[in-house]
Amino acid sequence: MASFFISMGLFKGKTLAEELAFVRWYHKHPINLTLHTIGVPFLLYSIFALLHCVKLYTSPSFTIHLSHVFSLLYVVGFTSLDLLAGFCSISVFYWMHQLLDYADATSQYWLIAFSAALFAAVTQLTGHFKYEKDSPAFRFFEAVFTTPFFILLNILFVIGWKPKFYKQIKTLTPMWKGVR
């Protein structure tokens, strides 16, 4: 399914391994990677907080928000690239929606969403400027889809998932030196 993302021009690499190597090049410092592992979920939360404000369907028993549609797109996209990452993302998005519903029931909804966005920005910019000594190679699709996928997959790599694929990504990483 990576070929779909490649054909749409959404991936910089010609394969999933090359694309993840590109993302890894800009997150190679271990502290930057750790900061992104912490901060990216907060970035997603703040984006989803905005999407959660748009109600698409309401019934007496449930409401479908735009954030639900985007969660489904993420799960399908992640699953198409890696089955385990896709299944793990179901849990991530379930708990994110639990938090959104909780925040929505409080008078602090926007404070929570803004705080999450601010925390995400600080952690990610600190990681890039202080530890990578470089600005992010910002591409919109990479920021909102590929990097969250990379972070989730990296957590799986740490616990031993697909060691050969992880080694391939690490081997391909230097090819992106100097590429924006």
Side-chain angles (χ1 to χ4, degrees):
M1 185 61 168
S3 58
F4 169 76
F5 295 109
I6 294 164
S7 69
M8 296 293 293
L10 298 172
F11 278 6
K12 201 160 191 86
K14 295 177 186 153
T15 65
L16 179 59
E18 284 185 8
E19 178 66 13
L20 294 174
F22 175 79
V23 176
R24 188 172 188 281
W25 176 257
Y26 285 92
H27 304 94
K28 61 190 171 298
H29 193 285
I31 295 176
N32 182 36
L33 184 57
T34 300
L35 289 171
H36 275 66
T37 302
I38 296 165
V40 165
F42 283 89
L43 173 67
L44 280 179
Y45 178 87
S46 60
I47 292 169
F48 274 65
L50 293 173
L51 298 172
H52 200 70
C53 293
V54 180
K55 294 179 181 178
L56 301 175
Y57 175 80
T58 302
S59 77
S61 56
F62 67 93
T63 300
I64 297 176
H65 299 268
L66 187 56
S67 59
H68 292 115
V69 174
F70 273 79
S71 291
L72 182 61
L73 292 173
Y74 271 91
V75 168
V76 168
F78 285 9
T79 304
S80 72
L81 297 174
D82 185 271
L83 193 59
L84 181 59
F87 284 130
C88 290
S89 72
I90 292 170
S91 176
V92 169
F93 289 110
Y94 170 80
W95 286 107
M96 185 183 312
H97 279 282
Q98 293 300 309
L99 290 171
L100 287 167
D101 289 340
Y102 172 78
D104 198 18
T106 73
S107 60
Q108 305 297 317
Y109 186 79
W110 290 110
L111 178 63
I112 295 167
F114 177 75
S115 298
L118 184 63
F119 179 77
V122 168
T123 57
Q124 292 177 64
L125 292 175
T126 299
H128 281 288
F129 290 110
K130 183 173 182 177
Y131 296 102
E132 295 290 350
K133 308 277 191 250
D134 198 5
S135 62
F138 185 80
R139 295 179 299 144
F140 182 74
F141 187 75
E142 178 190 325
V144 299
F145 182 84
T146 312
T147 300
F149 176 73
F150 170 79
I151 296 296
L152 180 57
L153 207 58
N154 197 63
I155 292 167
L156 295 173
F157 289 152
V158 167
I159 61 172
W161 178 246
K162 293 189 175 182
K164 289 180 185 175
F165 185 53
Y166 184 48
K167 184 177 180 181
Q168 180 186 12
I169 292 166
K170 290 195 309 188
T171 301
L172 291 169
T173 297
M175 74 183 266
W176 296 106
K177 183 178 182 177
V179 176
R180 283 258 169 230

